[in-house]
Amino acid sequence: MELIGGGLVEVRITSADVGKRVSVRYVTDSAAAGEKFTDAVGVLTSWDSGVLLITRKSGEAVRIAESSLVAGKVVPPAPARRRGPSATFPELARATARAWQPVESEPLGEWTLRAADGFTRRANSALPLGDPGVPVAEALTRVREWYAARKLPAYVQTATGAEGTQELLCAELDRHGWRREVSAQVQIGALAPIGDQDADVSAVRLSRTVDEAWLGRYQRFGEPSPAVLPVLASGPSVWFASVAGTGEVPAAIGRCVVDGRWAGFMAVEVDPALRRQGLATTVMTALARQALDEGASAAWLQVEADNDGARALYDGMGFAVHHHYHHYRWSEA
């Protein structure tokens, strides 16, 4: 027990608290100049051989020597931001999965193995929403074998940063040699404010099907794959939006999947030469109005954490981060 800044602090966590959200203070050489201590808040995912592993909400893992601990305590789950609708992680994870379905899938207990000829990690990764029915180490072996049989890299999609997310599984993947490749944010917001934006949607064309022109603007459409169209067309109620450009390729596009109360926005892309002219807002407004007509009330989207422009746009629309998701890849190296 020590006095720091006039306050009495102590380490009140043990290895029995693995799996709980904790806040710790520890001595580190990487602290800011003139400071002796650094703080970390996240899920305690392991405490082995004198080393703690804490997984932050972003998915970053922090390793801390037990001997460097100054203070530590269990803390409640992070309060949800109340800017938009409430949502549990399982509900939202299943809605996002239904909006981007693979060509082939197979259950592994409550996990789902998904493949789509390599088109996007989301459609070519294991989705672990529950118990695989076997020990995790065995489940991961089966995942590797399943993807190897299809000549695809083995990926597992996980989530961190919300109640019920998978920090412990992330740590288990790390221990078994899987490495995090890509992380993104899942954001949610109320749908009505998006549809109520002052945007002239008269130039937006909505369609139930995707055409060659729309694909010409879609940045993920590189080498043709037979899985592209089935994946894009998957979902309960799918809409494609486009705004005509000066040539055959649209100036802007977007995709929306309406699923009960949820409307998921994907593939919102604008000609680089025409950005900052409100085209992305216009596309999302048109799609939101269609989703509202179908009875949806909440919106979600996925955006990479380093996409500052998109994050600023979505923040202005009222979106807030619900959780972070990650793709872990198996590598022999």
Side-chain angles (χ1 to χ4, degrees), residues 21-61:
R21 187 169 181 262
V22 301
S23 174
V24 302
R25 173 165 288 187
Y26 59 102
V27 179
T28 175
D29 293 335
S30 63
E35 298 181 3
K36 184 179 179 182
F37 307 107
T38 296
D39 298 319
V41 179
V43 175
L44 179 62
T45 45
S46 70
W47 190 329
D48 299 315
S49 303
V51 178
L52 292 74
L53 182 68
I54 293 178
T55 302
R56 302 183 192 270
K57 64 181 181 180
S58 65
E60 175 194 3

Side-chain angles (χ1 to χ4, degrees), residues 278-322:
L279 287 174
T281 298
T282 298
V283 165
M284 290 186 66
T285 300
L287 289 169
R289 292 176 184 177
Q290 178 61 46
L292 287 165
D293 287 346
E294 295 185 28
S297 60
W300 65 264
L301 53 80
Q302 297 167 321
V303 58
E304 293 189 6
D306 60 356
N307 190 340
D308 295 335
R311 288 171 54 225
L313 170 68
Y314 302 143
D315 186 67
M317 291 182 176
F319 282 93
V321 177
H322 182 275

Side-chain angles (χ1 to χ4, degrees), residues 122-213:
R122 275 183 287 165
N124 293 271
S125 55
L127 185 64
L129 298 180
D131 186 347
V134 296
V136 171
E138 181 180 342
L140 294 177
T141 297
R142 294 191 188 183
V143 170
R144 296 199 308 267
E145 293 172 347
W146 196 82
Y147 286 100
R150 289 154 181 79
K151 296 181 173 57
L152 293 170
Y155 283 103
V156 176
Q157 180 180 316
T158 64
T160 59
E163 187 172 357
T165 47
Q166 301 155 317
E167 286 82 357
L168 289 174
L169 178 57
C170 291
E172 192 80 3
L173 285 161
D174 186 68
R175 281 193 291 271
H176 284 87
W178 297 67
R179 295 295 174 258
R180 185 163 56 118
E181 275 197 353
V182 176
S183 295
Q185 299 174 351
V186 176
Q187 299 188 0
I188 61 175
L191 185 62
I194 304 171
D196 288 343
Q197 293 178 110
D198 184 16
D200 180 4
V201 301
S202 60
V204 181
R205 174 179 174 268
L206 296 182
S207 173
R208 284 293 198 180
T209 58
V210 63
D211 57 22
E212 291 297 326

